[in-house]
Structures are given as C-alpha cells and as structure tokens.
Amino acid sequence: MTTRHRAAAATAVSALVIAGGSVIGAGSAHADDVKPSVPPGTEPSAAAPVAIDSNAPGLKIPQGGTLAPVKVLDIAEVVEDLGGEQRRQETNETVMMALQAEVLFPEDSAVFNAQAAARIQAIGNEINQSKATRIRVFGFTDDQGSYEHGKELSKQRADAVHAELTKTVTNPGVVFDVRGYSEDYPIADNSTEEGRKKNRRVEITFPRGAG
C-alpha cells in the first residue's frame, strides 16, 4: 500500500454558499458557465453551535460588552498519497476525493486510461456505502494554454468521471452536479510543473455516511 501522510487543519469559515450552477441527474449532463462565489468545496459544512442568549444572567460579560459574532470551526483532515496522485479530504459532513488527471487520462485527453475505471469504481462503492444522493464532480486544469480550452477539457474530464460513476453508484434518486473550471481555483503554484500537476485534477465530493 502506498505510504501516506496526514495533515489536519481547523479553519474558521463564513456563511458563504455556491451561487448558481447546474444540477443534473445520473443520466444527463449540461455545460455550466456560472462560477461559484467561493472555490468549490470551501463552503461551510459544520453545523452552527447552540444559540446563546446574550442577556442570560449566567454570562459574565463586562458592563457594556457584547458577544462576538459566532464562528463555526470546520475540521478538515487531509490524507494524500506520497506521490500526490490521490488526495482525500474529510470535514464534519463531506468527503472530497481529488484525483490527479495523469492517473486517469493521457495528456490533453478526456479518454480514460487502463487504470482509471477501477479508481472511479472504488469511489463509487464508497458513495454507495454512505448512501449519498448528491454528488459533485468538478474538473480543473493548470494555467497552460487558453482558458476556454481548459474549460472544455476540464468539463469533458468531469463528464467522463460522472459517466463512470453512474455505472457503480446505485442509490435511487442520486443527483450529480458536474462542472469544469479550467484554471480557476488552483491548489498549488502554477509556476512549477509539480504545482501544475496538482492543479490538473478531478474532484468528487459527497456527504459522509453515518458511520
């Protein structure tokens, strides 16, 4: 098994959500030209804490003082293969699997290589176990070439992963959100080949199971 390393981070997040976007069923796909207001996968998933009455007599607040705005901490645990080919990120409510494009597709292609289907099927099986009914499949590229070419390629790759997932995911009523973002929302430095390799990726996000 590939050696793995772990990194955990706690981040205060604000109440922002993705604006716009197309929602599709398992058997269809549509182009999406609406960008989210925040990078996909960064919207808060942690539930807000219990309400606090600022006038409660038990609170020891100095005279004239007020409570600060509530902040929700979303704990994210990241597990990445040593080579960075596959990255798993879990928060309180979601699982995000990021696969580098090189482990799924030939260069500048949206046609699966020989190993790709098995990787996608393994993720599909986990989605079945979690009984997820809403799945996001987002494609990304580096900043090489034109933005429009990257948008087309990233969407085609997301579509290919979506099509393969539909062969494995059997939960009734499942809805897929499939998008291509070109070079938007890089996770690494595009000035190096190592960074560009990380940015060329497909992300699959679904709710965590009860277990």
Side-chain angles (χ1 to χ4, degrees):
M1 180 177 289
T2 306
T3 304
R4 296 185 174 190
H5 62 280
R6 294 177 176 268
T11 307
V13 295
S14 58
L16 296 175
V17 297
I18 288 181
S22 60
V23 177
I24 64 179
S28 61
H30 306 285
D32 175 72
D33 296 322
V34 181
K35 295 180 183 178
S37 57
V38 295
T42 61
E43 69 276 12
S45 65
V50 296
I52 298 176
D53 181 4
S54 59
N55 296 316
L59 287 177
K60 304 297 182 181
I61 301 177
Q63 187 174 2
T66 59
L67 292 174
V70 172
K71 292 183 179 181
V72 180
L73 294 180
D74 206 5
I75 307 301
E77 180 182 29
V78 179
V79 180
E80 187 176 81
D81 287 347
L82 190 60
E85 294 181 347
Q86 183 166 314
R87 179 167 54 91
R88 178 189 184 93
Q89 177 176 308
E90 292 193 45
T91 66
N92 298 333
E93 295 186 359
T94 64
V95 176
M96 188 273 288
M97 303 291 291
L99 298 172
Q100 286 185 7
E102 278 78 356
V103 305
L104 300 176
F105 309 98
E107 182 178 356
D108 201 32
S109 172
V111 178
F112 277 147
N113 61 32
Q115 293 78 36
R119 285 180 176 267
I120 303 304
Q121 288 166 11
I123 297 174
N125 288 331
E126 183 174 351
I127 291 172
N128 284 336
Q129 293 173 3
S130 73
K131 295 181 173 57
T133 57
R134 188 176 183 90
I135 304 164
R136 299 184 308 195
V137 184
F138 293 166
F140 304 86
T141 63
D142 58 27
D143 66 350
Q144 304 300 290
S146 72
Y147 180 86
E148 289 306 317
H149 175 69
K151 189 172 182 65
E152 180 181 3
L153 180 61
S154 60
K155 181 59 163 59
Q156 289 174 345
R157 287 175 167 175
D159 285 338
V161 171
H162 161 244
E164 188 62 38
L165 280 173
T166 61
K167 299 177 184 178
T168 305
V169 175
T170 57
N171 299 330
V174 65
V175 174
F176 286 85
D177 186 2
V178 183
R179 311 186 189 196
Y181 285 106
S182 189
E183 64 195 56
D184 292 337
Y185 313 122
I187 58 173
D189 187 355
N190 269 314
S191 67
T192 68
E193 175 53 29
E194 180 181 0
R196 292 192 293 271
K197 187 175 181 181
K198 290 184 177 181
N199 290 332
R200 299 189 295 265
R201 68 197 191 277
V202 176
E203 295 181 356
I204 303 169
T205 307
F206 55 94
R208 288 183 59 172

